[in-house]
Amino acid sequence: MSLPYSESCEQNKDVILNAISSFLKSGAEVLEIGSGTGQHAVYFAGLYPEIIWQTSDRQENLAGIRSWLDKGQQQNIPEPIELDVRESWPEKSYNMIFSANSLHIMSESEVEQFFTGCGQRTKPAGHLVVYGPFNYNGDYSSDSNRQFDQWLKARDSESGIKHFEWIDRLAQDAGFKIVDDIEMPANNRTIIWQRETLSD
Ligand SMILES: C[S@@+](CC[C@H](N)C(=O)[O-])C[C@H]1O[C@@H](n2cnc3c(N)ncnc32)[C@H](O)[C@@H]1O
């Protein structure tokens, strides 16, 4: 198949890496949810050969991710796994779970299942990182995000930009505490939580 391509991945991969690099410890196993094309995985794992980067997505995207992995031939990216937050989660737990531009595609119920599942699959003291647009104080953070949200909802009325305060509450309920919420280019954010340890 022809290689799927996301221009936004190429544009945001360096700024995302800059935001998360201090959390990518040698030997860490990362689970990426909603890998899309697989471009982030190939780029990040290529620069960090000492971490394992597990890609995942819904069934329909796995062949495209495989094409990127075949092109990259990197030892530290295993076969992509099927993961739909509504039903198919891996049995193991990870040092980090990463997901870019996926929460605004999901419905509210899927986002709830996302956080519950992440809570169960992140190791104590491990990190959960999401990248994308979010609303704050009940409002859009830019006119372009407002227009983007309208476009998303016209495509799928259950999707749309989520409120930071709501997802932070879901993260807390799943056992995470917030570590950082970083302003990114083009009105996006990188939000980082840490899973509480037994002593917290
Ligand atoms: C806009 S794409 C982002 C892809 C990639 N992370 C990126 O930054 O280019 C949204 C991704 O979320 C995934 N996604 C949507 N609903 C999902 C669900 N219920 N479970 C897992 N992934 C889902 C889609 O399959 C898609 O790969």
Side-chain angles (χ1 to χ4, degrees), residues 137-168:
N137 302 313
D139 205 357
Y140 298 102
S141 56
S142 67
D143 285 342
S144 61
N145 278 0
R146 181 191 304 274
Q147 285 158 15
F148 183 46
D149 190 53
Q150 285 166 354
W151 179 82
L152 287 165
K153 290 194 165 86
R155 267 168 83 237
D156 174 358
S157 59
E158 297 208 336
S159 70
I161 297 178
K162 305 299 184 290
H163 293 275
F164 164 77
E165 294 79 4
W166 178 63
I167 61 159
D168 187 41

Side-chain angles (χ1 to χ4, degrees), residues 56-129:
S56 78
D57 211 315
R58 295 189 296 194
Q59 184 62 38
E60 65 260 30
N61 286 333
L62 298 185
I65 297 171
R66 262 189 216 105
S67 330
W68 273 91
L69 303 195
D70 289 348
K71 182 170 173 274
Q73 295 282 328
Q74 287 158 224
Q75 300 299 315
N76 58 330
I77 315 183
E79 266 287 285
I81 56 173
E82 182 177 358
L83 196 170
D84 185 315
V85 296
R86 293 169 294 190
E87 53 201 10
S88 44
W89 285 86
E91 293 295 324
K92 60 184 291 186
S93 54
Y94 296 84
N95 302 98
M96 178 188 283
I97 298 184
F98 170 83
S99 195
N101 278 327
S102 60
L103 298 189
H104 60 266
I105 302 296
M106 295 181 193
S107 66
E108 290 191 352
S109 149
E110 286 172 296
V111 171
E112 287 169 356
Q113 290 168 85
F114 172 92
F115 281 98
T116 303
C118 288
Q120 292 164 348
R121 271 113 190 142
T122 306
K123 293 188 174 173
H127 292 93
L128 169 61
V129 179

Side-chain angles (χ1 to χ4, degrees), residues 13-14 16 23 28 51 60 78 95 105 107 113 132 192:
K13 63 187 186 183
D14 283 311
I16 295 177
F23 301 99
I51 64 169
E60 65 260 30
N95 302 98
I105 302 296
S107 66
Q113 290 168 85
I192 303 166

